[in-house]
Amino acid sequence: MIDLLFGPFIEFGFMRRALAGCFALSLSAPPVGVFLMLRRMSLMSDAMSHAILPGAAIGFLVAGLSLPAMTIGGLAAGLLVALLAGIVTRTTSIKEDASLAAFYLISLAAGVLLVSLRGSQIDLLHILFGTVLALDDPALMLLGGIATVTLFALAALYRPLVMECVDPLFLRTVSRAGGPVHYAFLGLVVMNLVGGFQALGTLLAVGLMLLPAITARFWATDLSGLIPIAMLVAILSSFVGLTASYRADLPTGPSIVLAAGILYLGSLLFGPRGGLVWRLFRPRHLEG
Amino acid sequence: MTHALVGDAPVQPGAIALRGLTLGYDRHPAVHHLDGIIPIGALLALVGPNGAGKSTLLKGIVGEIRCLDGRIDRPGADSIAYLPQAGEIDRSFPLSVIDLVAMGRWRRLGAWRSAAPDHQTLLRALSAVGLLGFEDRLIGTLSGGQFQRALFARLIVQDARIILLDEPFTGIDGRTTADLIALIRDWHAEGRTIVAALHDMHQVRGHFPTTLLLAREPVAWGDTETVLTRENLARAQALSEAWDEDAAICGRGDGHHHGAPPFSDGHRHIHGHDHPHGHDHRHDHGHAA
């Protein structure tokens, strides 16, 4: 049993690295996902993950399959799209989802075009599905750094961020923090997507951000419960996904996200906060 | 000239001076050439038909929208507390009532200082609006009236010298309205400036000593009894209806005659403008210096 679960990590350094990288991401991406979910911006992270592609592709064209180059490119492209979408939203009557959709489509098309200019199908698959089993030292440091920055930034921004989520108009009347907080938060989203893109690939980078957050909704109601539960779900998914991918020789990124998906479906059925199974019973109502 | 008059008048710190103020959207005025001073400690009702510019004026004072023309002077720059009519509040966000009220302490606490020393203040505010015992409930579980009480508790802890309320009693039952009006009267007694957009004339007559009757154009501003006359109300209604017609035919060259001095001390009526112009072009008519 112990060997079944821990064997691959004891035996192979690359599995330990993969686990460490995924754990780092499991601490930083889910809290960001919780805020995205509560702001009804879940799909925004999906759009952003596509927006990252051309930056990563330019990095890829310049330096080949080099993680630092692709990371910097992805960060730049993601931040640019977030910033442009934010500026358009704040200066025109176009809503945030629409302006983001416009920019991410442009960005995605440019990315696919760039990747196809050079490189084979295999290269494209690397970009799309990640390279979690080939995390080198710089990549691990990057993931750890992203997790550290994210947690400290969320702690520092927590109060204005909650206010910006609950009552942006109120925050505007008492402070100018609303705009900077919003952009800082979008920056965190992009940073974590780029981190996830290292481990899981562009297509699945969103998975570890959102699935644990949405799963947590079936276990807790307020932020003090949602955030730790989302982290826990992400850690569990990473572990199970990595083990399964090793044992059954499956691609790593998809198995991690599928593990998170199974936890989500289980919570959807049995979660104590609104799980579907509980609808079958009608508990006696309370006195008051 | 009219603007210059108010412009020259020294305004005491804490008062709000509206000088030739035009506010609107897409250059269409929603509040048109409003002059006057809201003195410190005023308890002013903002009355007018739908679309009269009541909410727009409050948004302008709080700085939510920019002036199309003219300006708002607030010497002393006291903090303003503002309760919008249709807020952007996401009530599905899992936030407790006491955390919502604690948002009112932002100016003192900022992003990082602990709210623990303010706990008693928050509880006192909750008890003042009759919500003691609700502090740990999520805001999504409150009824409309309870939620409005919670927002008033937030106004209390904001402790602002100027309080702007936009239709604060819409959809609120009589008991809650009475409680909240009592709160407003307490604020008035403490010397705070209160401006409230209202549509219930009975409330206005009963509790608000001064009234500004607005129909995009200011119709009358002064003591509530002298403002809320049958003629004034009929004129406000007619103005707002005439305005719709204007918009349809674009109203160019449809001379509105002006003439009255500004309302610095109330009891006056104005009768529109002395310069012909449409209402959909820029306000570049120079205000006859």
Side-chain angles (χ1 to χ4, degrees):
Chain A
M1 182 68 189
I2 286 176
D3 181 59
L4 183 76
L5 289 179
F6 299 103
F9 302 107
I10 296 167
E11 205 170 332
F12 298 108
F14 73 88
M15 286 297 284
R16 283 199 295 279
R17 286 171 173 280
L19 192 68
C22 287
F23 277 7
L25 196 63
S26 296
L27 291 180
S28 65
V32 174
V34 166
F35 277 102
L36 279 174
M37 170 186 69
L38 291 175
R39 299 185 79 167
R40 302 200 186 88
M41 285 166 67
S42 300
L43 292 178
M44 173 266 188
S45 59
D46 196 32
M48 286 308 300
S49 75
H50 292 91
I52 290 170
L53 191 65
I58 290 173
F60 172 71
L61 285 183
V62 170
L65 207 60
S66 135
L67 286 182
M70 287 162 68
T71 301
I72 292 167
L75 267 179
L79 291 175
L80 187 70
V81 167
L83 199 67
L84 284 176
I87 289 171
V88 168
T89 308
R90 277 166 194 261
T91 51
T92 71
S93 61
I94 293 176
K95 297 268 183 256
E96 179 148 39
D97 59 335
S99 67
L100 200 66
F103 282 112
Y104 107 74
L105 284 168
I106 296 171
S107 192
L108 177 62
V112 171
L113 205 75
L114 284 170
V115 171
S116 70
L117 280 184
R118 215 185 79 183
S120 62
Q121 291 290 314
I122 304 290
D123 293 330
L124 188 62
L125 281 181
H126 266 296
I127 292 182
L128 292 181
F129 296 113
T131 49
V132 69
L133 295 182
L135 290 179
D136 53 6
D137 282 349
L140 268 185
M141 301 241 290
L142 179 80
L143 284 169
I146 286 175
T148 311
V149 170
T150 303
L151 291 179
F152 275 102
L154 277 181
L157 297 178
Y158 185 83
R159 197 178 279 169
L161 185 59
V162 168
M163 286 169 74
E164 165 82 6
C165 291
V166 177
D167 195 349
L169 177 57
F170 178 80
L171 186 60
R172 280 205 299 281
T173 62
V174 296
S175 152
R176 280 163 214 248
V181 163
H182 183 68
Y183 288 118
F185 177 69
L186 288 182
L188 289 181
V189 173
V190 171
M191 222 169 65
N192 278 278
L193 287 175
V194 172
F197 141 81
Q198 300 287 352
L200 305 170
T202 329
L203 278 179
L204 301 171
V206 189
L208 215 45
M209 182 175 284
L210 283 182
L211 274 172
I214 301 170
T215 306
R217 203 64 162 125
F218 292 104
W219 296 91
T221 47
D222 63 349
L223 283 168
S224 60
L226 286 171
I227 290 175
I229 290 177
M231 288 174 169
L232 213 65
V233 169
I235 287 174
L236 203 63
S237 313
S238 304
F239 183 79
V240 172
L242 275 174
T243 313
S245 89
Y246 175 82
R247 293 288 170 201
D249 197 19
L250 301 169
T252 321
S255 40
I256 292 174
V257 175
L258 276 179
I262 290 167
L263 286 175
Y264 164 70
L265 291 175
S267 305
L268 176 68
L269 288 176
F270 302 107
R273 308 262 175 203
L276 292 177
V277 165
W278 308 115
R279 301 179 121 194
L280 299 177
F281 314 104
R282 189 165 69 171
R284 300 275 309 164
H285 62 82
L286 306 174
E287 256 184 12
Chain B
M1 42 146 203
T2 53
H3 309 141
L5 253 174
V6 180
D8 290 346
V11 187
Q12 48 180 156
I16 305 169
L18 314 174
R19 306 186 195 279
L21 180 66
T22 296
L23 298 162
Y25 308 93
D26 278 342
R27 296 179 8 203
H28 291 277
V31 171
H32 217 185
H33 294 291
L34 182 57
D35 277 288
I37 291 167
I38 302 170
I40 191 166
L43 178 52
L44 175 70
L46 216 49
V47 174
N50 286 336
K54 307 185 291 281
S55 300
T56 306
L57 177 57
L58 293 179
K59 279 185 203 166
I61 295 174
V62 83
E64 253 299 284
I65 54 174
R66 277 191 222 166
C67 309
L68 293 181
D69 195 14
R71 62 183 201 275
I72 299 167
D73 284 346
R74 291 197 296 120
D78 279 318
S79 62
I80 293 188
Y82 168 54
L83 182 65
Q85 179 181 12
E88 298 173 7
I89 300 180
D90 177 5
R91 284 179 62 184
S92 68
F93 196 95
L95 191 77
S96 66
V97 171
I98 197 154
D99 285 342
L100 179 81
V101 176
M103 284 167 67
R105 300 300 276 182
W106 170 269
R107 280 184 197 280
R108 281 162 203 78
L109 299 177
W112 300 302
R113 272 187 290 276
S114 161
D118 286 4
H119 195 67
Q120 286 309 317
T121 314
L122 301 179
L123 288 183
R124 268 201 304 279
L126 278 175
S127 116
V129 298
L131 281 184
L132 211 55
F134 283 72
E135 49 268 27
D136 294 327
R137 287 269 294 270
L138 294 183
I139 53 175
T141 66
L142 296 185
S143 73
Q146 288 167 338
F147 188 67
Q148 197 72 354
R149 285 171 184 262
L151 291 180
F152 266 79
R154 188 172 71 179
L155 289 173
I156 293 175
V157 303
Q158 271 187 272
D159 194 22
R161 298 305 301 169
I162 299 170
I163 299 168
L164 309 179
L165 308 167
D166 196 351
E167 301 278 5
F169 310 125
T170 307
I172 304 298
D173 69 26
R175 166 83 196 285
T176 303
T177 303
D179 287 355
L180 297 182
I181 285 182
L183 201 57
I184 291 174
R185 296 191 70 94
D186 288 347
W187 285 334
H188 181 54
E190 290 164 13
R192 300 177 202 269
T193 308
I194 298 149
V195 183
L198 294 168
H199 62 261
D200 184 333
M201 297 302 161
H202 188 69
Q203 276 166 9
V204 175
R205 288 201 174 92
H207 305 286
F208 288 76
T210 53
T211 297
L212 164 58
L213 179 57
L214 206 60
R216 270 189 246 199
E217 305 288 344
V219 176
W221 188 346
D223 286 344
T224 298
E225 301 137 50
T226 59
V227 168
L228 292 187
T229 60
R230 193 184 298 260
E231 307 87 75
N232 280 344
L233 290 172
R235 219 153 54 79
Q237 196 62 44
L239 258 175
S240 76
E241 278 158 16
W243 278 96
D244 284 343
E245 209 175 301
D246 270 5
I249 57 168
C250 208
R252 241 166 242 275
D254 183 41
H256 297 279
H257 36 275
H258 201 313
F263 308 105
S264 47
D265 49 6
H267 304 280
R268 301 231 177 83
H269 298 192
I270 22 171
H271 306 281
H273 297 273
D274 57 352
H275 37 236
H277 65 282
H279 305 289
D280 50 355
H281 66 99
R282 288 178 57 82
H283 292 273
D284 52 1
H285 31 56
H287 304 315

